[in-house]
Amino acid sequence: MNGGTISQSQSFRETSYYREYGTVHMTEAELARDLHDVLAKVQAGLEVVVERNDRAVAVIRPGSRGGRMISEVVSELRARGSAAVLDDAFARDIEEGIKAQRQPWTPPSWE
């Protein structure tokens, strides 16, 4: 490993033992051959640079988690002595918001 980067000449399988955060360079064919394994590595923290003819065409990185978990917010409210009540209506609103974020994106058709 050279400065956190794994060279394209090394196969992705050969680099699977790396548990540290780093960058893996691979070809489109390597990505297509084992997409599931690649995504598992990305989820574990690796960044993957997909190359075509030795030029980067895509970078796959772990998604950033924004915000805080509800349990954290509730714990903080309790620690502050808040008298807020999280009733059933509030819980339904939260569930609807979560479901709305999980809907697939359907881009407009340009044709």
Side-chain angles (χ1 to χ4, degrees):
M1 194 153 109
N2 186 5
T5 301
I6 300 164
S7 73
Q8 181 181 348
S9 62
Q10 295 173 299
S11 76
F12 187 69
R13 288 219 178 273
E14 290 174 12
T15 64
S16 64
Y17 63 89
Y18 288 104
R19 300 284 186 241
E20 299 288 323
Y21 291 92
T23 302
V24 176
H25 291 255
M26 65 177 42
T27 65
E28 291 173 283
E30 290 171 321
L31 174 66
R33 193 170 23 254
D34 204 353
L35 179 60
H36 180 76
D37 192 41
V38 171
L39 292 179
K41 299 302 181 200
V42 170
Q43 187 176 12
L46 286 174
E47 179 179 273
V48 176
V49 178
V50 182
E51 297 177 340
R52 180 187 303 147
N53 300 325
D54 296 324
R55 294 187 65 164
V57 293
V59 178
I60 306 171
R61 356 183 120 86
S64 62
R65 293 181 58 131
R68 298 185 293 169
M69 296 184 67
I70 296 291
S71 58
E72 287 180 45
V73 174
V74 170
S75 294
E76 187 175 324
L77 288 171
R78 286 185 181 145
R80 292 181 180 185
S82 173
V85 177
L86 305 179
D87 60 7
D88 290 339
F90 176 78
R92 278 192 301 278
D93 289 344
I94 294 295
E95 286 178 15
E96 287 175 18
I98 291 170
K99 286 178 186 174
Q101 294 297 318
R102 290 188 177 155
Q103 296 300 316
W105 181 61
T106 38
S109 174
W110 297 103
E111 295 180 18

